[in-house]
Amino acid sequence: MGWCDQMGLSMAVAEWWVERWERQQRRYAIDREERFTVIADVVEYVTLGQRRPLVVDLGCGPGSLAARLAERLPRAEVVGVDMDPLLLELARTHHASAARYVDAEIGADGWTDALALARPLDAAVSTTALHYLPEPVLRRTYAQLAALLRPGGALVNGDHLPQSGTVPAALAAHVGRRRAERLRDGDHEDWESWWTAVAAEPELAEPLAERRRRLSPPAGADGGGADNGLSVSDHTALLRAAGFGHVVPVWQFGDSCVLVAIR
């Protein structure tokens, strides 16, 4: 599952592209910074009293959430996992001290072994990643995470999770879209244009070529890709079936939600 880390990416170039990634992602995530903060609040709460909390960041991308967790919880050990070699290269260069990064596909055979965890997890976190997993894969992944977490540990998922039913889902999505329109300043590039611009960056040519080899057609993050369409209620049912005792949404605006499942 591994891939060569020695691409020679400079810190300045990594910082430039991560900053542009952050701006681009705000186009799709309502109150993105607040959602990160809420996720960190939950992790702080469930790891209170732990000398060195162990946290896995699922679909870590270029390290956006991992870096915020490391700042909030400097004693935590964070493991970021993603299958995108270009985003991992940005994370390993720009946010090198925030986490140990693992190249693996969430839900694939052996992905939990690739994490090389020496002890039970205190928390698993994710933001806008799990809604791309097909339901059977998500069901299996939730069960695997429940097995990795200690009793009292938590899975904290910040994602686009629609309400159940056509009318509630449409209403929540509309409210979210209108808020995004009010907050948007008009100069955020979108998902496609960010990747188009990255293609012209010489220092990212090798990880981009590897990404294209792996992802055909290319997978999306906040701005593209196939959504599994599961509602908050669907996720709740899957989590309870996987062995989580308590499942509760602790923050929501529109269809942007932070869903917490306690082992």
Side-chain angles (χ1 to χ4, degrees), residues 79-98:
V79 180
V81 56
D82 207 296
M83 67 173 292
D84 190 314
L86 188 144
L87 297 182
L88 282 173
E89 190 66 18
L90 291 174
R92 286 167 173 156
T93 304
H94 186 56
H95 293 307
S97 63

Side-chain angles (χ1 to χ4, degrees), residues 192-203:
E192 290 80 10
S193 60
W194 189 88
W195 285 103
T196 299
V198 160
E201 173 55 64
E203 290 192 27

